[in-house]
Amino acid sequence: MRGETGAAGPGTGKTSSAGLRRFDRAAWGAVTIVAVYFVLALAYSVFNPLFEAPDEWLHYQFIRYLAEKRALPVQAADAPTEFHQPPLYYALGAVTSAWLPVDDYVPRLNVFWRYDGQPPVEDNKNLYLHTSVEDFPYRGTALTMHVLRVFSVFLGVLTLLLAYRLARAVFAARPWLSLGTLAITAYNPQFLFSTSSVNNDVLVTLWGTAIVWWSVRVVQRGLTWRSVVAGGLLCGAALLTKLSAGALLGIVALAVWLAPPGRVRRVPALLSLASITLFLTAWWLVRNMQLYGDWSGLDTMLQAWSASTTSALPPFSAQLWNLWRSYWTEFGYGQITLPMWIYWLISLACLAGVIGLVRWWCFSRRGLFQPDRKVAAILSGAPLLLVIASVVFGVQNPSGMHGRFLLPASAAASLLLMIGWRSWRRPFEAGLDQCWSGGAVVSMLVLAVYALFGVLRPAYAAPTLLTRVAVQHSTTPAKIRFGET
């Protein structure tokens, strides 16, 4: 039994020719999962009307400002915008779309818009009124928006490739478990919805996944000057995309502290990481201080958004539930949700994963997985830090807490779930990995397809236009005479 476990456990580095063939099949499986994600994400981008994703119109305005004026915008305290955001995603979006012709199209608000999401009702879920200007073949602003959405989808593909590398780094000799992890990440409807929209969350999700992967590799292999430079560049890029990525700097510091002895000592590594990060971001922080008297610019943003809303935040417990629910599926501004029984089913499945994870942690010395507990600390710490950051920011932000803020740690969370589920039944037998991963792939794919065709598309579907004959059949003559008429 011990020899069997050692051959199958992660981190052994011993692979036979049959194992190499399994690796090849697993790699092709990963390619298939990512390809299906790409098709699904494109479908999400088409069926989700323009500007219906959270603040998508404001994100688009930032991109167009950069493309047209070649300068950073300045936020005002009396108008909600996304101009407080760091500029990296918007600069990339401007480079991607600057060559496209645009028009003066401005979406019109739907005054009958319904925000309440429970129970799910297919009625006035669109924030804006949509006309034939947005129809295919796309032109002007519509064309630019769809190009930017495809750009976001490609960023999602890069994120999944990094998520797969992360899973393979943890499941070194159990490649099939990497496929289950990849599917949990890729077919999460919220991940599909977010990475098929125009927003900076998609790029910070890429950087967050890269940071977790970097941290795991540092813990496994030790520090080198090359890894230190790469880590500093990742931290700087993440902070120049979204300030919430600052929560993941704690994971970087933890990885440096837990790294085995190498060519670089911990203190010089931390100082170098901080120096590179500060070198990349200092200009942005100084600009905010000069313009707003606040290094982050968030005080001005909160003032503008608080002045634009009169609704009070829901109770804290309701916000926590929304944070959890919207991590999996919450379309639009939260007004389009899955039936409640699906959320409870997801919650039960995740609870089973957490219990299995505790079993794996407690009984790993009995031959279950032989895990590296330092790696487990990295994987657990990333979602935890983002949850804490989301709660802290959510109690100040008028819009509350949202699950999309947790997506930078989604690959780590998916990996932990896969470990927890796999630990329930003969986890030391690698031959069963295909069954468990296959179940995860099918379950998540069904959820993603249902969320698209059963929830998102019907919610935004245009009403059926009546024909003249149908109107005549439904008309009742008044039979009122006015004089001779």
Side-chain angles (χ1 to χ4, degrees), residues 108-115 124 126-129:
R108 294 172 53 200
L109 286 172
N110 173 22
V111 296
F112 300 105
W113 176 58
R114 285 189 54 172
Y115 184 83
N124 280 296
N126 52 304
L127 177 61
Y128 297 101
L129 301 177

Side-chain angles (χ1 to χ4, degrees), residues 465-477:
L465 297 180
L466 296 175
T467 63
R468 181 180 296 273
V469 175
V471 172
Q472 291 174 346
H473 283 307
S474 63
T475 300
T476 302

